[in-house]
Amino acid sequence: MFRRKLAAIVTLIVLSGLFSEVNAQGRQSGRLNSLRLSESFVRGNSNLSVLTVLGYRYQFSEEIKFGADLGYHQGTYNDSKVKEFNSAASIDFTYSHGRTVEFYGSAGAGYGLFTNILANKFIYQFNPLAMRIGNGSIAGFAELGWGYRGLLTAGLAYKF
C-alpha cells in the first residue's frame, strides 16, 4: 500500500515536470492547469476498497475546467479478486472562488476495464458539491457525489 502511494506521488511530480511547457503557455494566457491525486472508498459485494485517481485539469475560463482522470481499483466482484483500470473525461464548474476556498461541481464519464473477468463498463461521476482549500500551488479538495468514485472523494491538487 505504501509503495503504491509513493509511486503515485512520484508520478505526480514527474508529470508536473513534463507539463512545464504547458505551464509557460498557461501563465502567459492567465490560465492555470492542475494535477490531482485522489482516493475514495468504493463498495464491492461486501467490503470497501480504495480507488486511486490521477487527474489533469485545464482551466478554460474563470468558471470552467476540462480534464481527464485515470484510475486504478483493486477489489472483489462475485467472490473473485479483480483489478479495474478506468479513464474518464470531466468538466468542473466553479460556483464561488475566494482567496483560499473554491466551491465547484463536476461531472465526468468514461470507460472501465476489469481484469480477471474480462468485462468492460461505462462509468460516470457526478459531484454537485465540491470544495478546494489552498492558497498557492498545493491545495486539498473534497467532493461529494455519486458514481464510480463513490460518495466522497478527497485528495491533493498541484496548480501550475
Side-chain angles (χ1 to χ4, degrees), residues 1-159:
M1 182 69 122
F2 175 74
R3 279 193 250 168
R4 189 176 85 188
K5 287 184 181 182
L6 182 61
I9 291 170
V10 168
T11 302
L12 186 66
I13 292 169
V14 169
L15 286 174
S16 67
L18 292 175
F19 289 118
S20 62
E21 182 64 30
V22 175
N23 181 14
Q25 293 173 359
R27 286 201 176 133
Q28 288 173 356
S29 66
R31 296 186 178 149
L32 296 172
N33 303 287
S34 63
L35 289 173
R36 304 161 29 112
L37 179 64
S38 64
E39 291 193 349
S40 56
F41 290 99
V42 292
R43 180 169 283 292
N45 285 352
S46 61
N47 62 351
L48 288 174
S49 55
V50 176
L51 169 68
T52 302
V53 176
L54 179 66
Y56 170 77
R57 297 293 184 270
Y58 172 74
Q59 188 165 348
F60 181 72
S61 70
E62 188 70 27
E63 296 87 17
I64 297 176
K65 296 177 189 164
F66 293 107
D69 294 325
L70 297 174
Y72 172 77
H73 171 240
Q74 183 175 341
T76 305
Y77 182 76
N78 290 338
D79 298 328
S80 63
K81 292 190 180 234
V82 295
K83 294 178 183 177
E84 177 188 2
F85 300 93
N86 55 52
S87 62
S90 67
I91 184 169
D92 298 357
F93 180 79
T94 301
Y95 303 131
S96 172
H97 183 64
R99 192 174 185 104
T100 58
V101 178
E102 175 182 305
F103 291 98
Y104 63 96
S106 66
Y111 192 70
L113 170 66
F114 289 88
T115 61
N116 299 350
I117 59 172
L118 299 175
N120 305 318
K121 70 175 184 174
F122 172 76
I123 58 173
Y124 67 92
Q125 181 71 31
F126 177 65
N127 299 316
L129 183 59
M131 179 173 54
R132 181 182 192 277
I133 300 174
N135 191 9
S137 295
I138 297 180
F141 65 91
E143 300 172 340
L144 181 63
W146 59 89
Y148 77 99
R149 286 189 272 167
L151 293 174
L152 181 64
T153 302
L156 292 173
Y158 173 69
K159 213 179 245 192

